Amino acid sequence: MTNRYGGRSIAQALSFIRILEGDLKGISSEAKKKAPEVKEAAELGLSKLKEIDLSAEEESGGTEAVGEDDEEWGSRALTQALSTTEEISLAFIAACDPSVPKVNLQALGGIHKMVMHSAIPPDLLNDLFTALEKLVEPTTDQSVLLKVLEALLSLLTSRYFQPHLSESMQRMGLSMLLDLSNIGEDPSASPAQTIATIAIVRKQTSEVAFRQVCSEIFFSCQRSCGSEFGE
């Protein structure tokens, strides 16, 4: 018997869902008193995750181990289920609230996981970039800034999300990367740690900027060629 989540991948799908549930439960608990709107968003996201969880469990009954193609299909089915359920992504985005610092790390961790699974609805990318930008401006918490950088680099280098990134999103992303270029300048860090962190951040920032410039040149040439042939 097979199902849309695949065989062996059903365990991975359920594991990923449970990890996200844990993140949202933590956010809900922390935001209970200080940010009721963040708690409400987290609870709504949890209810949607439970629906996906139940659906996956129902379809997994009696499943035998299957081949790689089925496993890949299972992963795609999970991604599709998550990426078409805005409430889950909106819960993590809502928790990127600088006025509730205790939930920021969990929110950014959840966002990074969902980006890596291509599980964020493309329609919410602008909201996500705006939320990340709000965290970069006021905070000096190195842990939060590193998590923002992690999520941002994953977004800007994702083959899945790149076609959905508007020029304004790319510019916003590059602007944040430049702001984060001094992220390693932590007085409590050892000189070796500081040098290593700054080197990594600046290298990755340069690579993303280079990709964007090349992409813009390519599309400009493509438009020019199209115009010539059109005439």
Side-chain angles (χ1 to χ4, degrees):
M1 177 180 175
T2 59
N3 57 68
R4 68 193 176 108
Y5 290 94
R8 287 169 293 176
S9 65
I10 186 64
Q12 296 171 352
L14 290 171
S15 174
F16 180 56
I17 291 170
R18 304 269 160 72
I19 289 169
L20 294 179
E21 284 178 347
D23 288 336
L24 287 180
K25 283 177 182 176
I27 289 169
S28 175
S29 176
E30 285 288 351
K32 189 187 301 183
K33 294 180 181 178
K34 293 186 178 179
E37 67 285 356
V38 173
K39 173 182 167 53
E40 185 179 344
E43 291 295 330
L44 185 55
L46 273 169
S47 69
K48 294 296 180 181
L49 267 177
K50 284 174 183 173
E51 288 176 16
I52 296 172
D53 192 347
L54 285 171
S55 173
E57 284 187 333
E58 284 171 6
E59 294 193 32
S60 70
T63 301
E64 300 294 331
V66 293
E68 290 182 5
D69 289 342
D70 289 312
E71 228 177 284
E72 184 181 350
W73 168 237
S75 177
R76 289 201 302 269
L78 173 64
T79 296
Q80 184 179 18
L82 290 170
S83 64
T84 53
T85 310
E86 291 190 349
E87 290 84 354
I88 298 166
S89 296
L90 285 171
F92 287 113
I93 290 171
C96 289
D97 183 345
S99 68
V100 198
K102 286 190 175 181
V103 301
N104 293 162
L105 282 175
Q106 281 181 308
L108 290 166
I111 286 168
H112 181 244
K113 293 178 198 112
M114 291 192 72
V115 169
M116 296 303 290
H117 281 77
S118 305
I120 292 178
D123 289 347
L124 295 181
L125 287 176
N126 192 61
D127 293 334
L128 177 53
F129 272 92
T130 302
L132 293 176
E133 189 175 49
K134 285 179 181 176
L135 280 178
V136 170
E137 290 171 358
T139 188
T140 55
D141 187 327
Q142 296 285 306
S143 300
V144 170
L145 292 176
L146 279 169
K147 282 291 184 182
V148 170
L149 178 65
E150 184 179 56
L152 195 55
L153 287 169
S154 299
L155 269 171
L156 292 172
T157 56
S158 165
R159 290 183 181 179
Y160 173 77
F161 289 115
Q162 275 181 348
H164 303 287
L165 297 178
S166 65
E167 280 188 27
S168 63
M169 288 182 212
Q170 292 180 48
R171 285 173 186 160
M172 195 185 300
L174 284 171
S175 176
M176 281 188 275
L177 286 176
L178 291 172
D179 289 339
L180 291 165
S181 62
N182 64 348
I183 198 172
E185 297 171 10
D186 180 359
S188 64
S190 69
Q193 288 175 321
T194 299
I195 292 169
T197 304
I198 291 174
I200 291 168
V201 171
R202 291 182 179 169
K203 178 177 181 293
Q204 291 174 325
T205 302
S206 299
E207 287 175 357
V208 172
F210 178 74
R211 285 194 193 96
Q212 191 198 9
V213 170
C214 290
S215 176
E216 287 177 357
I217 292 171
F218 173 76
F219 284 115
S220 295
C221 292
Q222 197 175 42
R223 280 196 295 269
S224 299
C225 292
S227 299
E228 276 184 41
F229 287 117
E231 293 171 359

